Amino acid sequence: MSSARDALAARRSRSKVTDAAPSHEEILAAAAVAGRVADHSSLHPWRLIELRGEARARLGEAIARAEASDSPSTKPLRAPLLIAIVAARKPSTKVPHWEQDAVASGVAHMLSLLLDEAGWGVMWRTGHYTRSESVAAMHGLGDDERLLGWLYVGGRLDAKPGKGDGAPKLLDAERFVSVLD
Ligand SMILES: Cc1cc2nc3c(=O)[nH]c(=O)nc-3n(C[C@H](O)[C@H](O)[C@H](O)COP(=O)(O)O)c2cc1C
């Protein structure tokens, strides 16, 4: 098992994946760990929805309705498994929605990292239709739930030499970190 530092330094998004996909049990195991992110008042303001098989085609139809298009979108078919990230806002006088959404986003990043570390290809995707009514209805979202997009998950293609097979470059953190004293 790699350290969190090593896993994050090596992580990269994979836009093209094969038809292999992690099982529901693997997603449950990864979600149990991803849900360990800091969570103000432990509200657990998130949930995940796995879209497999025909559900991806139904999402394509919902996207078409959002776009007033005659033909279903084929975008959801780009991976065998889509994991919808839902910010499930809970009633709280102490924790505002933006803090709750930060927790849901954190869970998605951690889940993405864990799946990448386990050898799967992952890419977080959205679109201008992400918060459309038809897409919300297709997922069965409640009034206090908002989609943050989908993790597209599948098997990794063999890396072509020289293409995406090296360690990603780390950021020049001096640009993003300042000090007040
Ligand atoms: C909330 C969110 C939504 C995103 N939506 C898209 C998207 O719709 N299309 C896309 O090409 N990349 C999208 N990205 C960016 C990719 O997931 C990925 O991070 C980016 O291509 C950079 O690659 P890297 O993760 O290997 O550094 C999104 C990322 C986040 C966090």
Side-chain angles (χ1 to χ4, degrees):
M1 190 190 289
S2 61
S3 68
R5 189 237 167 257
D6 291 346
L8 198 47
R11 183 208 67 83
R12 64 167 70 241
S13 298
R14 321 249 168 191
S15 59
K16 291 202 172 77
V17 291
T18 72
D19 285 342
S23 66
H24 175 62
E25 288 67 30
E26 277 180 88
I27 299 302
L28 288 181
V33 177
R36 292 278 305 114
V37 295
D39 182 352
H40 197 170
S41 291
S42 297
L43 294 175
H44 306 304
W46 57 276
R47 68 182 179 104
L48 308 173
I49 306 169
E50 294 176 29
L51 280 72
R52 301 175 185 266
E54 283 303 306
R56 296 169 308 146
R58 291 203 301 282
L59 174 56
E61 289 161 12
I63 291 172
R65 285 195 292 282
E67 295 181 323
S69 165
D70 289 337
S71 42
S73 169
T74 57
K75 285 181 183 165
L77 306 179
R78 289 188 287 195
L81 169 63
L82 274 58
I83 304 174
I85 311 297
V86 183
R89 296 161 173 177
K90 302 287 163 58
S92 171
T93 50
K94 197 163 91 177
V95 187
H97 285 162
W98 72 264
E99 290 193 30
Q100 299 191 34
D101 292 356
V103 176
S105 174
V107 170
H109 279 295
M110 291 302 147
L111 182 62
S112 165
L113 179 64
L114 290 166
L115 292 173
D116 181 273
E117 185 195 34
W120 297 105
V122 186
M123 183 150 173
W124 190 337
R125 294 182 187 271
T126 48
H128 51 266
Y129 43 77
T130 303
R131 298 224 168 153
S132 64
E133 274 181 30
S134 59
V135 168
M138 184 268 153
H139 288 80
L141 299 191
D143 289 344
D144 295 322
E145 296 188 317
R146 301 288 184 277
L147 266 181
L148 299 184
W150 301 264
L151 298 184
Y152 279 58
V153 186
R156 278 193 198 165
L157 296 162
D158 291 337
K160 291 197 182 96
K163 240 193 143 191
D165 56 345
K169 263 184 78 177
L170 297 185
L171 293 176
D172 172 12
E174 295 277 3
R175 290 174 52 207
F176 306 101
V177 182
S178 59
V179 180
L180 298 177
D181 57 13

